[in-house]
Amino acid sequence: MSDPKTIYDKYLNNKKYSFFLKQLLEVGLPLEKNEFSYRRDGQAGTGAYMTPDADGNVRFYVPDILTGDIETYTYGQAPHIKIRDWYLTRWMVPKQTTTGPAKYTPVKGGGTRILCTPPVADAFRAKETIPILYVIEGFKKALSLWLNTGLPAVGMNGLTGFKEPEKPGEQEDVVRLRKELKEILKGCNVLKVVVVYDSDLFDLGKSKDKPETTRPNVFYRASLMAKTLFEPFADVYLAHPHIHPQKKYGVDDLLLEYRSVSAISNPLPKQEKKIKPVCKFKSYDKQHEIGRDLERAVRENKPGKYFGIYKLSALSDYKIKEVFHIENVQSFYDYYRQQLHQKSDKKFRFFKFTYKINADSTISQAEDDSARHINLEEINGRLYTYDSNHKAKEVANFTMMVLFQIDSEKDPKRIVQIKNYENVTRVIEVTSKTFVSLSDFQARLIDFGNFIWKGSKENLLDLMTILFRHEKPAILLPTLGWSPIDGFYAFSNGVVTSQGFHPVDEHGIVSLNEKSYYFPAWSKFNARNNETYKDVKKFSHFQSSKAVNFSRWKKQFTTCYGRNGHIAATYFIASLFSDIVFHHKSGLGFPLLWAAGRPKTGKSTICESLLHLFGEKSDAIGLAGKSTIKYFITRFAQVRNGLVHLDEYSNTKVSKDTKETLKNIYDRHGYGRKSFSNDNRTESTPILSAALVSGEEIPTDNSALFSRSILLLFNKDKFSPEERAEFRKLRDMEEQGLTSVTVELLCHRQLIEDNFDDTYDQVFADFYTHYKTRAIDDRMLKNAAWMVTPVKILLDKKKIDLDVSYNELLAVFFDNIDRQSGYLAANTDIAKFWDIIEILYGRKELTEKNGDFKFIDDTLAIRVNRFHHLYSLEARKLGYEKILDKSTLENYLSNENYHVDMTNKKGNKKQVRFNGTNPLPALFFKYDALGIDLKGNPEPLDDEDMDTKGDDKPF
């Protein structure tokens, strides 16, 4: 590289570069470090982070961490599109823009970029861990933090420069993390992300003619977005230099003021008087002390000497509002009191509402123009109106306040607090229809005591005008479980996001992402309405200081249920993300978990144990009982990504329609009907949860249903004292509550979503390789791979302790597939056909002597008409639901691997004389491959022997 002195001299000899040199000095960036390497079209090159333009302004150039090139942008229109290096300009004189003067602007049409300092770029290329990554508003600040403290920093444009720029035509609410940052977080296994803003984030003076809440709200929204986007990968923190009463500090300002050691090795010549010194040396190596203070604040999660710190991951959205004191007007006024009192008119705006500061330093809402026509006033806990003579007339002996407006397509309403002149307070629900009917409104109020409305309909409209202007909307979720629009998993008493559980308040409200959600089962208004919400309340999570974690539960679960426990636990994990599994590119489906066995062997108990993971155990639906298909489909629509238990399955007692519905659960085809409207709309009840099926029998009479299931067989009905003791331990866990296990797993949803495609390909390849030489139903392999994939992701990312390895889990599934495929092969429609043929031969209803079949050497020839006639009669006697017609039977038999094509000399299908008959069409088979006996002495089979073949009980 050239002599640094020569480089400095080049700029020192020209006055227009003084601004550029001043910027270098403020950052502490020596010219020998003001460069980075890149490659373009196979050629190596060197770029500069900071360089002057022709007018003396400073340009920042940025290396592309993903491609190794310099960041570029395109401009022009086809066919004259050109590619140029992207840059950000720091203007010597702020540039006028549509939003006002700007010190920094990116190249026109180029969008925004991020600047990765060398510690970040080097770690990314080497795939080294970055324990704490600092994301800072401003390229200059990022370079300063790196040079003066050595910390790994990423600079961004603006408060939300970490988000991916919007694509043309994309919805505004689609927000994603920048791809470069996502790759850094994953590739460098970043544990903590610290978003660093300037110290003036609480300065109201910059709101100008906008509401005073504008600036803190902007920082609140930026912090909320940072938490949402970074949290799937790392813990998220907000840091800022401590507030100074006179000065505004960025990280670079703080480091400059306390700088004692400069990285610039060759200082400016003394005779150069044009550039004033900007460094004030206060104490030795202060900048490193500042860096250590920032690190320590993050690690200890408490303010340091120089920095304020907030762990956003540990805060609910409402708590983040409290950081900026915008959760309510009184909190806002109390915190910003000194700034607000400096306003000459003693008024301020809290979002859209104007408040005045009274002489006693209290605040009250100022009257706005839109409210002046309303003839309604509150006096001593009553509401009054005034006649033309200004005489007061009482219209209500109470006051009213809308707490929340419930947004629901089917049942819109408002949660209202009423308080009468005797200070009796009630919280009630009032529907929209009730508000617009004077008589209904009066009747609704007196249901709750001495709350009397005496006013007219016009007075009621005035009341609504006042109330609705200040109401807060709240969403009533149509289903519990995973909410794809809102991005959380909802229990009946709160929601789970990637940072944990957010419980409802006393009104049944959860505030999240600037929205409120209403959960009526836990609203104090419905406290006495136990029967209505009895079932819903079972689906609840309650936090406990002695919460059971996944590792402890899984170990106890498999201690009790053995190999079946490994499969059932894997199924449970997959069910929490069943929407991801179901919509995977490999095909639409989610299997049923089928537990079968003799009474008291644990088949229903394992299902009940899984249900405890979602709260209090919900009631099972008896398939052989009187529950209608519409009812149990409704149960599947109540929760997305939950479990529903279907009990008492029987091949003979369960109707054909019910069996078809069970197949539809796999395919998630719900129940539909035409809406009672004139616009041809239809209403559907979807399948949103996974199914646990238990019973004494497996569905061998319906191979399509059987292949849509993962089979668990139970045959042990006697248990040792030690086994019973272990089961009591599991029961104690279940009674204590196991939703903590579910919450722990749900926090990793983003991880499952990001890695499912690639991991599924690996898992399915492992299953396919194991069975590549065997004919196994492809659906069974997919079912298993779908279930194992989420577990492998969590194992690979070290998020769970499964107590078995991935390969050991595969071995359990291999064994289970072998057993299930054996049952499936033995109970196909063709297998049942040959079973019946052997029965008929034993009863001498089919014989070679009667001309029903004939042996030609080692080949069996059969008369299809005769065989099909007797087979169909016997199948009806045995109660088989599916009986193959003659053409289907011929087609199936002709495609079996033991079928033989036999032709005559002319190449036509060979016909056979069966014991003196004329030549007749026949089918030919390799006899030894059939596995049946049509040569021995036929002996009639007793009922027990016939049941072994004809019944479907596996035990």
Side-chain angles (χ1 to χ4, degrees), residues 242-258:
H242 284 312
I243 301 169
H244 191 279
Q246 284 85 35
K247 299 179 182 179
K248 169 251 182 182
Y249 282 109
V251 168
D252 54 339
D253 303 314
L254 185 66
L255 290 166
L256 177 60
E257 178 163 330
Y258 287 94

Side-chain angles (χ1 to χ4, degrees), residues 477-490 517 640:
L477 296 174
T479 59
L480 296 175
W482 174 246
S483 179
I485 295 176
D486 304 291
F488 55 62
Y489 192 95
Y517 301 88
R640 181 182 274 105

Side-chain angles (χ1 to χ4, degrees), residues 163-176:
K163 72 173 182 175
E164 192 74 42
E166 295 174 6
K167 297 178 181 179
E170 192 171 51
Q171 293 181 4
E172 292 183 4
D173 58 351
V174 176
V175 181
R176 297 182 300 272

Side-chain angles (χ1 to χ4, degrees), residues 587-819:
L588 301 178
F590 195 92
L592 294 74
L593 188 66
W594 203 288
R598 296 192 301 269
K600 299 182 179 180
T601 54
K603 59 185 184 298
S604 297
T605 308
I606 196 172
C607 297
E608 293 172 357
S609 290
L610 292 176
L611 292 173
H612 277 288
L613 292 156
F614 294 91
E616 184 183 340
K617 177 181 68 68
S618 58
D619 297 333
I621 300 172
L623 291 174
K626 296 183 179 180
S627 296
T628 65
I629 291 174
K630 292 180 183 179
Y631 167 71
F632 77 71
I633 286 183
T634 301
R635 286 282 297 275
F636 280 91
Q638 291 174 346
V639 176
R640 181 182 274 105
N641 295 358
L643 291 173
V644 177
H645 183 195
L646 307 174
D647 200 10
E648 300 174 3
Y649 176 83
S650 167
N651 286 319
T652 55
K653 295 178 182 178
V654 172
S655 69
K656 184 177 180 180
D657 287 344
T658 299
K659 292 176 184 177
E660 288 302 308
T661 302
L662 291 177
K663 286 164 57 179
N664 289 339
I665 291 174
Y666 175 94
D667 301 310
R668 300 216 159 169
H669 294 158
Y671 170 77
R673 67 181 180 87
K674 189 180 183 307
S675 174
F676 292 101
S677 61
N678 58 3
D679 55 2
N680 295 318
R681 285 184 300 167
T682 59
E683 294 181 357
S684 61
T685 305
I687 303 292
L688 301 176
S689 285
L692 309 173
V693 184
S694 59
E696 292 185 37
E697 302 175 4
I698 55 179
T700 49
D701 67 332
N702 194 319
S703 58
L705 175 57
F706 194 26
S707 66
R708 285 170 165 80
S709 307
I710 293 178
L711 180 63
L712 302 180
L713 291 178
F714 293 81
N715 49 32
K716 183 178 180 180
D717 57 4
K718 290 182 172 56
F719 304 95
S720 68
E722 292 76 15
E723 290 172 325
R724 293 181 182 277
E726 291 298 335
F727 182 71
R728 281 196 296 273
K729 291 181 184 178
L730 179 63
R731 271 287 184 255
D732 289 342
M733 286 185 185
E734 292 169 356
E735 290 174 5
Q736 178 183 336
L738 288 174
T739 50
S740 55
V741 176
T742 304
V743 171
E744 179 184 344
L745 295 169
L746 288 171
C747 291
H748 303 306
R749 178 183 171 90
Q750 190 64 49
L751 201 63
I752 303 296
E753 199 165 344
D754 290 343
N755 294 277
F756 194 91
D757 285 359
D758 292 341
T759 307
Y760 171 82
D761 292 341
Q762 299 172 31
V763 174
F764 185 78
D766 289 337
F767 278 100
Y768 181 80
T769 300
H770 183 80
Y771 288 105
K772 64 182 178 181
T773 59
R774 295 172 55 188
I776 297 292
D777 190 331
D778 183 65
R779 181 182 284 157
M780 293 177 66
L781 299 186
K782 283 185 178 180
N783 290 344
W786 285 335
M787 300 302 100
V788 173
T789 296
V791 175
K792 187 177 191 308
I793 293 170
L794 296 174
L795 284 174
D796 289 347
K797 302 297 182 181
K798 296 181 173 54
K799 298 298 183 182
I800 60 171
D801 178 10
L802 197 63
D803 74 2
V804 293
S805 68
Y806 169 65
N807 288 329
E808 289 171 332
L809 185 62
L810 284 182
V812 172
F813 272 87
F814 291 156
D815 181 63
N816 204 63
I817 290 172
D818 291 342
R819 182 185 294 122

